[in-house]
Amino acid sequence: MDSDSAAPDVVHRTTCRICGGTDLERILELGPSPLANAFLRSTEDFAAEQRYPLDLYFCGQCTLLQLLDVVRPDLMFRHYLYVTGTSTTMAGHNQAYAQTVCEVLGLTSIDLVAEVASNDGSLLKCFQERGVRTLGIEPARNLAALASASGVETVNEFFTRSVGEQLRATHQPARAVVANNVLAHVDDPHDFLSGCRELVADDGLITIEVPCVGELLDRLEYDTVYHEHLSYFSVTSLLRLCDRVGLSAVRVDRVPVHGGSLRLYLSRSTGGHSAAVRALEAEERLAGVADVARYRRFATDVRKSRTALVGLLERLAADGKQIVGYGAPAKGNTLLNYCGIDTRLIPYTVDKNPLKVGLYTPGTHIPVREVSALVDGAAIADYVLILAWNFADEIMRQQQTYRDRGGRFIVPVPEPQVV
Ligand SMILES: [Zn+2]
């Protein structure tokens, strides 16, 4: 919030944000890095750019993988460039999501769906189309304004327990409280989930979607680590959190979005976690997700992957090949900064989000151009490094013209691969 602006930019916490424990081992150092969404407007901004530690820690007590260096939230979330509506993959995901929630809860026109971190309102629109009432809560001023202007009532706040209490009083208890890709962003997940618990109706459900740490480990998705993502949850660590807040997990789905996510359905009932959820937790433990050795091996593999990617790009550049980027996602900035890939290897990248075109990537200062730059002009780049690799299939399909002219793609993780 603005009242925090006298607070330091970054605070290093010394305890786990779920269990309060101090048995914390540093697993991987990816920084110091600038904020992954802090794109720069002009070359004059380069000198003033701030960098913060970006290190992953594992809690030996509750198994949560997390960042302990916490950047002040208003520096990251008051103006946000990730607009949900820009991706067709996400649009399909939103439609399917709304349908599932409406069916599971049997929602009708008297019911309210509240979404925390509702972005530009894209998902809530899908609920409106099904005749359900909606309420958005979004801390980014620009996105809250965009959503409200398009007919999705949106409160411009960071979500907390007290905001949850207030909204329950001013609106009505929500049959569904949706929180996608936000729990991992908050430094106090107890307060956040307590707010969801306050807002949800007794016969309602809270649905939480978070990237799955198992996918991060298995697919070496280290570039999904950035300052905004404070927690990297597993079913195991999420259940420890729910236990503390007084919520029961009634169902868990695995969803193939953002490189592999978990969707949990939580209820105020005191019946405890369902057998299916417990089974998934047991399965996860067998895969080593609760064991620090698995995380140490991950760190070793990440360092190898970096060496391989930088080696490939340098060899291509030495052969006189031109390489450009596709996408300017936050994750791309972790990858570029960690690997030290800047304009010497990639003169520009392209992105579909018009808010990013014309800006420079944080830390590596690569200009962002329109997607049409890939095929404009007589010569095309020999290779396109796909920074938005979770949309790689969609991107390669859309870039038929570039492929027809002989262009090739590089997918950077888990191992760099030329397609
Ligand atoms: Zn812990």
Side-chain angles (χ1 to χ4, degrees):
M1 313 249 168
D2 293 333
S3 55
D4 292 347
S5 54
D9 285 359
V10 63
V11 172
H12 182 82
R13 57 181 297 150
T14 53
T15 56
C16 169
R17 67 173 48 81
I18 286 186
C19 74
T22 53
D23 175 15
L24 296 158
E25 175 172 325
R26 185 160 62 185
I27 296 294
L28 179 64
E29 291 172 66
L30 292 163
S33 296
L35 299 179
N37 275 305
F39 285 79
L40 304 162
R41 298 198 175 277
S42 75
T43 52
E44 284 97 74
D45 296 340
F46 294 176
E49 192 170 43
Q50 298 295 313
R51 288 172 183 266
Y52 309 103
L54 186 60
D55 302 337
L56 280 172
Y57 293 80
F58 177 79
C59 174
Q61 224 162 300
C62 74
T63 78
L64 180 67
L65 185 71
Q66 59 198 300
L67 303 185
L68 295 179
D69 297 284
V70 181
V71 177
R72 225 171 65 213
D74 64 288
L75 294 179
M76 299 187 284
F77 302 118
R78 275 303 192 188
H79 189 84
Y80 206 51
L81 291 175
Y82 178 73
V83 180
T84 319
T86 50
S87 149
T88 33
T89 302
M90 283 307 292
H93 173 73
N94 284 345
Q95 286 293 351
Y97 190 100
Q99 191 181 341
T100 303
V101 173
C102 286
E103 284 170 6
V104 168
L105 283 164
L107 298 181
T108 68
S109 59
I110 57 162
D111 292 317
L112 176 71
V113 172
E115 186 185 10
V116 184
S118 48
N119 202 275
D120 63 352
S122 306
L123 175 61
L124 287 177
K125 275 227 161 71
C126 300
F127 282 98
Q128 287 183 345
E129 285 161 14
R130 288 171 169 74
V132 181
R133 301 174 53 215
T134 65
L135 173 67
I137 302 111
E138 167 56 52
R141 287 192 196 94
N142 59 323
L143 294 178
L146 199 65
S148 295
S150 71
V152 179
E153 181 189 352
T154 302
V155 179
N156 183 212
E157 293 272 16
F158 281 101
F159 191 69
T160 59
R161 181 179 184 141
S162 82
V163 170
E165 281 169 358
Q166 279 165 35
L167 293 176
R168 187 187 182 96
T170 55
H171 290 70
Q172 70 187 62
R175 287 293 308 289
V177 175
V178 176
N180 288 345
N181 294 300
V182 58
L183 186 65
H185 294 52
V186 298
D187 189 30
D188 188 347
H190 296 103
D191 185 60
F192 181 92
L193 262 195
S194 298
C196 296
R197 195 177 181 285
E198 291 298 330
L199 184 52
V200 76
D202 286 343
D203 62 345
L205 287 175
I206 302 163
T207 65
I208 303 273
E209 214 167 280
V210 290
C212 174
V213 78
E215 302 287 330
L216 168 79
L217 297 172
D218 293 343
R219 301 200 216 164
L220 226 54
E221 295 167 354
Y222 68 89
D223 57 345
T224 60
V225 178
Y226 44 94
H227 296 100
E228 292 171 14
H229 292 168
L230 294 169
S231 301
Y232 300 81
F233 289 108
S234 58
V235 175
T236 307
S237 57
L238 277 167
L239 293 187
R240 297 298 79 75
L241 175 61
C242 292
D243 291 342
R244 283 167 179 261
V245 176
L247 288 166
S248 299
V250 297
R251 170 174 162 179
V252 181
D253 295 341
R254 291 176 181 281
V255 286
V257 71
H258 291 297
S261 292
L262 294 170
R263 183 187 299 164
L264 265 83
Y265 295 76
L266 309 174
S267 138
R268 291 170 65 118
S269 90
T270 49
H273 310 308
S274 72
V277 174
R278 292 281 188 201
L280 208 54
E281 183 189 9
E283 195 183 298
E284 216 181 56
R285 283 182 180 268
L286 280 176
V289 170
D291 185 354
V292 68
R294 178 70 191 87
Y295 295 82
R296 293 180 188 143
R297 181 154 60 85
F298 163 75
T300 304
D301 292 344
V302 168
R303 288 187 279 266
K304 281 186 198 155
S305 174
R306 168 173 67 176
T307 306
L309 177 62
V310 174
L312 171 68
L313 298 181
E314 284 177 346
R315 275 197 305 282
L316 292 173
D319 286 348
K321 306 293 188 198
Q322 194 193 30
I323 311 155
V324 301
Y326 192 107
K331 66 171 68 181
N333 292 324
T334 293
L335 183 133
L336 295 168
N337 278 293
Y338 176 62
C339 296
I341 299 166
D342 58 18
T343 51
R344 288 169 299 175
L345 284 168
I346 294 186
Y348 67 89
T349 188
V350 298
D351 199 276
K352 276 170 85 175
N353 184 346
L355 296 173
K356 288 185 179 173
V357 171
L359 305 181
Y360 297 86
T361 58
T364 50
H365 305 157
I366 297 169
V368 183
R369 297 194 186 164
E370 285 179 29
V371 174
S372 59
L374 281 186
V375 287
D376 280 353
I380 57 160
D382 302 289
Y383 293 88
V384 168
L385 175 65
I386 301 185
L387 297 167
W389 51 256
N390 48 328
F391 299 118
D393 292 341
E394 180 179 331
I395 290 164
M396 290 190 276
R397 262 200 314 276
Q398 286 169 351
Q399 294 308 316
Q400 190 64 44
T401 312
Y402 171 75
R403 283 157 65 193
D404 289 347
R405 291 176 65 182
R408 306 183 74 183
F409 294 92
I410 301 169
V411 180
V413 293
E415 288 301 315
Q417 214 185 347
V418 176
V419 183

